[in-house]
Amino acid sequence: MSENRVTEDHQDGNGVVIDLSFTSILERDMLTWTIDTIVSRTKRSLRDIRCAVEMVLRPHGLRTPMDDWKMLEMVARWLPNSEFAQELYVQKDYRWSTLDKLHDEIYQQNLRNTFESTLSIMDDLILFKFPSHLAAKDRFETFQKQITVLTHQGARTFLSIPCGTMRELIGMRYIGFGKKLNFIGVDQDGSALESAKTLAQHHLNDVLLDNCQFLIGDPLHPGITPDRQFGLEPGSRLVDVILSDGLNENLSNSKCLLFYKNMFNCLVPGGAFICSHSAPVGEWGEDINSYHMTIQRLVLHGFVGIRREGQVRSTSQVVSQLEQAGFVGITLTPSTSRMSVTFVAYKPMVG
């Protein structure tokens, strides 16, 4: 395999010129090349590899404060055995199908079967140790707890947007509700809707399955669907609860406010909007595992090359935007690490 050489030299903090002619190999082939291979083919030291990786991480405001770079070699050896990491490497982003694996117990059990009843070291780290993924699991559990509470309070029609697999709704058990519940999944990705249908067929009884709808739609479009099924227009539908995990982070402030207003218009009076948002670093808790965070940053931003840059908003900014859209009674549930927050906001009752 030929090397794409980088002709520009860079200086480290001590003014020493570092030749980064092999950096493209790190970026392109880290999932299949071990550190030993890179050292032997480039005749570079682990010190030079450290400088190269830091050049990759620096645009993200990240550093790798590790004096012992055995961790670097260790990570490079583990990555090729991780199906999850390889999927991220190809996508350079978190798609709904990838994020769903954090909550898919069958997928995780199949991985354990592949590795003789245990997970590969890297998959174990990614699925159960990476701090941002633990925060995602916390959000998922919080969403399901809120669904349970609202269902017992009388909520009957739930809308998930963008729905992905709709696992937060479909994966729950609804005992004693019979035909009373209705689930609506809306997504712009037809493959997501097909996956949601398949999951519903496996998890829901025939009665609840008949009460599911899967619709192409845009959360920023008035009425959500092309035929404007939802909202305040005459004859349109209103729902009791709307769930949305993470979409707001990918929207500018103006589009995020539009999104919140659209969701507000789709709710019945007294209806609930459940959403989440990653918290800025300054709001994080102090009990985050620094070792796992270092590996997460090295893997996701250095080796895998995640390029997703979401909007950073403080918790107070999110609350302010929800209030601007008309919501009241907003409650906050932070994840254990405080890396993300789940918001429950209500549409005022008439009068």
Side-chain angles (χ1 to χ4, degrees):
M1 183 179 295
S2 63
E3 298 181 14
N4 296 327
R5 301 189 66 80
V6 177
T7 57
E8 180 182 1
D9 291 335
H10 297 269
Q11 291 188 355
D12 67 10
N14 298 318
V16 177
V17 175
I18 305 298
D19 178 3
L20 295 181
S21 62
F22 58 93
T23 302
S24 61
I25 293 178
L26 284 173
E27 293 176 331
R28 187 182 67 241
D29 299 314
M30 186 55 75
L31 285 180
T32 54
W33 288 50
T34 66
I35 290 296
D36 284 347
T37 302
I38 294 171
V39 171
S40 64
R41 295 203 179 192
T42 63
K43 302 186 185 304
R44 297 294 188 264
S45 67
L46 284 177
R47 174 183 174 278
D48 284 351
I49 290 175
R50 170 179 180 169
C51 292
V53 172
E54 286 189 344
M55 288 295 181
V56 175
L57 299 183
R58 197 167 297 163
H60 300 275
L62 305 174
R63 294 187 63 80
T64 51
M66 295 178 290
D67 294 330
D68 184 355
W69 271 73
K70 289 182 179 179
M71 181 186 291
L72 182 63
E73 181 178 3
M74 173 183 68
V75 169
R77 290 186 183 280
W78 290 345
L79 277 172
N81 294 322
S82 170
E83 177 183 326
F84 197 105
Q86 291 182 46
E87 187 171 333
L88 285 175
Y89 181 73
V90 171
Q91 297 169 357
K92 306 300 183 189
D93 197 356
Y94 285 97
R95 296 188 69 245
W96 59 267
S97 56
T98 308
L99 286 171
D100 185 64
K101 291 179 172 61
L102 296 176
H103 317 298
D104 187 347
E105 295 180 358
I106 294 177
Y107 167 80
Q108 294 165 18
Q109 185 57 52
N110 288 338
L111 284 181
R112 289 188 179 92
N113 294 338
T114 300
F115 290 93
E116 298 180 355
S117 299
T118 186
L119 289 173
S120 71
I121 296 175
M122 183 53 64
D123 279 323
D124 180 64
L125 283 166
I126 291 175
L127 292 169
F128 299 108
K129 303 295 194 303
F130 279 10
S132 65
H133 293 175
L134 291 178
K137 288 174 177 287
D138 278 356
R139 290 198 306 272
F140 184 85
E141 291 179 4
T142 299
F143 270 51
Q144 292 200 322
K145 288 177 182 178
Q146 291 295 333
I147 292 168
T148 300
V149 170
L150 291 168
T151 299
H152 286 281
Q153 289 178 350
R156 294 296 178 261
T157 303
F158 294 81
L159 169 64
S160 177
I161 184 169
C163 67
T165 64
M166 272 176 80
R167 188 179 296 275
E168 76 281 7
L169 275 172
I170 293 173
M172 294 183 61
R173 298 181 66 187
Y174 300 95
I175 299 175
F177 286 94
K179 298 181 179 180
K180 298 177 181 179
L181 301 180
N182 296 277
F183 303 139
I184 306 165
V186 175
D187 207 297
Q188 292 178 286
D189 187 342
S191 61
L193 298 176
E194 289 301 319
S195 292
K197 289 179 185 178
T198 300
L199 189 67
Q201 291 166 355
H202 282 89
H203 283 270
L204 299 179
N205 60 43
D206 291 341
V207 172
L208 286 177
L209 186 60
D210 288 341
N211 291 352
C212 288
Q213 284 185 289
F214 307 95
L215 307 171
I216 290 287
D218 183 347
L220 302 183
H221 186 280
I224 308 302
T225 59
D227 55 354
R228 300 193 175 193
Q229 289 193 32
F230 303 93
L232 297 179
E233 295 184 8
S236 61
R237 304 167 62 187
L238 299 177
V239 300
D240 298 313
V241 179
I242 298 175
L243 306 106
S244 184
D245 185 10
L247 173 63
N248 44 11
E249 297 180 18
N250 298 310
L251 302 175
S252 65
N253 284 329
S254 60
K255 288 185 177 180
C256 190
L257 183 57
L258 173 61
F259 167 55
Y260 291 157
K261 288 180 177 178
N262 275 355
M263 299 303 100
F264 182 90
N265 290 337
C266 293
L267 286 169
V268 299
F273 174 49
I274 306 175
C275 66
S276 64
H277 206 293
S278 295
V281 174
E283 295 184 7
W284 292 3
E286 297 180 356
D287 58 347
I288 298 173
N289 187 301
S290 59
Y291 176 78
H292 294 153
M293 178 60 80
T294 298
I295 297 181
Q296 174 184 304
R297 288 171 167 172
L298 185 61
V299 170
L300 297 184
H301 298 294
F303 287 20
V304 174
I306 294 292
R307 296 190 176 91
R308 182 182 185 185
E309 299 293 341
Q311 294 287 325
V312 177
R313 298 185 181 96
S314 67
T315 298
S316 61
Q317 287 175 315
V318 177
V319 170
S320 177
Q321 287 183 323
L322 288 168
E323 290 175 340
Q324 289 179 58
F327 289 104
V328 297
I330 302 168
T331 63
L332 287 64
T333 305
S335 65
T336 303
S337 63
R338 307 189 75 86
M339 291 180 67
S340 68
V341 180
T342 298
F343 302 81
V344 182
Y346 295 87
K347 184 173 182 176
M349 296 293 294
V350 175

